[in-house]
């Protein structure tokens, strides 16, 4: 997927904002090394750096890494795929915020992460849990159908139980796997949901002519308004899965 890093930073910076809560799972320790997996434009990598001796930010998007390097030239960033991490027993912590739901093969992902971690290293991550943005996805899928397009769904939102069991299969000790609702206000007032869909459903919308895109976005707004519009803000029905596991 193509990411607009500037739009991401101005409209969707809440992604990193909420990630700050996850940082609190990490006590500062100058001897530890951290991999920020799916670091985006580097906002949380920078904050991780204050808690560690060394940090590397990795992201599959050259656009995002380009912007991260501009913003934080003193930090280490690299372009790389989560399913082909080139590290072996290198990190005390693999940290990841709002990334795993973009990766369909969680089994392979956990194998790669385990290989990147030192013995007794920790995976600390948060991403979409089963039911995440279900109201939006269902409405989007329905609107696509009405316009003659098939929405196949590109996200993987597991239950806490499924993911915990996958951790065990991959020889992690699961210390925490908790799913919780986190309704999330979208920036931009009336335009908030539309902006969000333009960013995150870009691959689907990109296959349609602009006028059809507009009609479809309007239809999704109509379908979701009773549940997600609170009179001044669109509240996306985010549901998170927070995980702490030891290798
Ligand atoms: C999420 O962070 O939960 C998310 C973001 C974009 C699309 C789907 C889910």
């Amino acid at each position: 997927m193509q990411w607009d890093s500037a739009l991401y930073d101005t409209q969707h910076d809440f992604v990193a904002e909420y990630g700050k809560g996850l940082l609190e799972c990490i006590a500062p320790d100058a001897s530890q090394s951290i991999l920020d997996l799916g670091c985006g434009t580097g906002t949380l990598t920078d904050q991780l750096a204050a808690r560690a001796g060394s940090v590397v930010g990795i992201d599959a998007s050259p656009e995002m890494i380009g912007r991260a390097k501009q913003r934080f030239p003193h930090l280490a960033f690299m372009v790389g795929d989560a399913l082909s991490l080139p590290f072996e027993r290198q990190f005390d912590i693999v940290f990841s915020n709002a990334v795993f739901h973009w990766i369909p093969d969680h089994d392979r992902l956990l194998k790669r992460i385990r290989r990147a971690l030192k013995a007794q290293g920790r995976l600390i991550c948060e991403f979409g849990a089963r039911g995440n943005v279900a109201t939006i996805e269902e409405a989007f899928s329905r609107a696509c159908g009405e316009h003659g397009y098939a929405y196949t769904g590109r996200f993987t939102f597991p239950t806490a139980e499924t993911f915990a069991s996958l951790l065990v299969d991959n020889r992690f000790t699961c210390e925490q796997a908790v799913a919780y609702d986190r309704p999330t206000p979208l920036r931009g007032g009336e335009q908030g949901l539309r902006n969000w869909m333009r960013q995150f459903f870009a691959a689907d919308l990109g296959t349609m002519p602009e006028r059809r895109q507009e009609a479809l976005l309007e239809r999704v707004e109509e379908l979701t308004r009773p549940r997600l519009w609170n009179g001044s803000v669109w509240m996306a029905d985010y549901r998170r899965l927070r995980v702490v596991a030891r290798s």
Side-chain angles (χ1 to χ4, degrees):
M1 140 165 208
Q2 274 284 101
W3 291 93
D4 180 335
S5 60
L7 179 71
Y8 192 82
D9 269 355
T10 52
Q11 296 288 326
H12 310 291
D13 52 337
F14 65 82
V15 176
E17 202 51 43
Y18 279 105
K20 288 180 188 166
L22 190 60
L23 287 177
E24 281 156 26
C25 299
I26 302 177
D29 177 349
S31 73
Q32 68 194 355
S33 53
I34 303 181
L35 176 67
D36 184 4
L37 179 51
C39 62
T41 59
T43 303
L44 294 175
T45 321
D46 181 50
Q47 297 186 26
L48 288 165
R51 294 168 186 260
S54 71
V55 178
V56 176
I58 188 166
D59 200 286
S61 159
E63 251 269 291
M64 291 287 194
I65 289 294
R67 176 134 173 87
K69 283 181 173 170
Q70 269 177 2
R71 294 178 73 204
F72 308 107
H74 56 292
L75 295 180
F77 292 102
M78 60 187 282
V79 177
D81 179 3
L83 295 181
S84 327
L85 294 177
F87 310 110
E88 214 162 316
R89 292 190 170 257
Q90 200 164 323
F91 296 99
D92 297 291
I93 296 175
V94 171
F95 174 93
S96 183
N97 179 55
V99 172
F100 285 13
H101 46 253
W102 293 101
I103 302 170
D105 191 346
H106 284 169
D107 185 51
R108 181 154 168 223
L109 175 64
L110 289 178
K111 285 184 170 51
R112 287 293 168 165
I113 291 172
R114 193 178 153 78
R115 209 174 69 144
L117 281 169
K118 295 177 186 169
Q120 293 295 305
R122 278 184 303 158
L123 167 63
I124 298 176
C125 62
E126 190 163 292
F127 58 103
R130 174 68 59 85
N132 189 45
V133 296
T135 306
I136 301 175
E137 245 198 327
E138 276 161 29
F140 190 80
S141 174
R142 181 167 157 191
C144 281
E146 289 170 2
H147 284 270
Y149 290 81
Y151 172 71
T152 45
R154 60 189 69 251
F155 307 114
T156 305
F157 301 133
T159 63
E161 293 73 20
T162 302
F163 198 77
S165 136
L166 204 54
L167 283 164
V168 172
D169 291 348
N170 281 285
R171 294 179 292 127
F172 281 90
T173 305
C174 179
E175 297 181 351
Q176 185 185 344
V178 182
Y180 65 97
D181 288 328
R182 198 200 68 199
T184 299
L186 302 179
R187 284 262 159 80
E190 263 287 357
Q191 299 298 308
L193 179 58
R194 187 171 281 253
N195 292 343
W196 187 95
M197 289 190 284
R198 282 208 178 275
Q199 171 87 39
F200 294 119
F201 292 141
D204 303 278
L205 292 169
T207 65
M208 305 170 196
E210 181 61 33
R211 276 176 56 191
R212 193 176 287 278
Q213 291 182 30
E214 280 299 312
L216 192 142
L217 294 176
E218 230 172 271
R219 177 67 173 138
V220 176
E221 287 174 343
E222 181 187 23
L223 289 166
T224 58
R225 190 173 293 277
R227 290 177 72 176
L228 302 183
W229 175 250
N230 73 5
S232 52
V233 174
W234 287 99
M235 297 294 291
D237 54 339
Y238 274 41
R239 187 166 165 74
R240 302 279 96 179
L241 177 52
R242 179 171 290 195
V243 171
V244 179
R246 205 170 276 279
S247 63

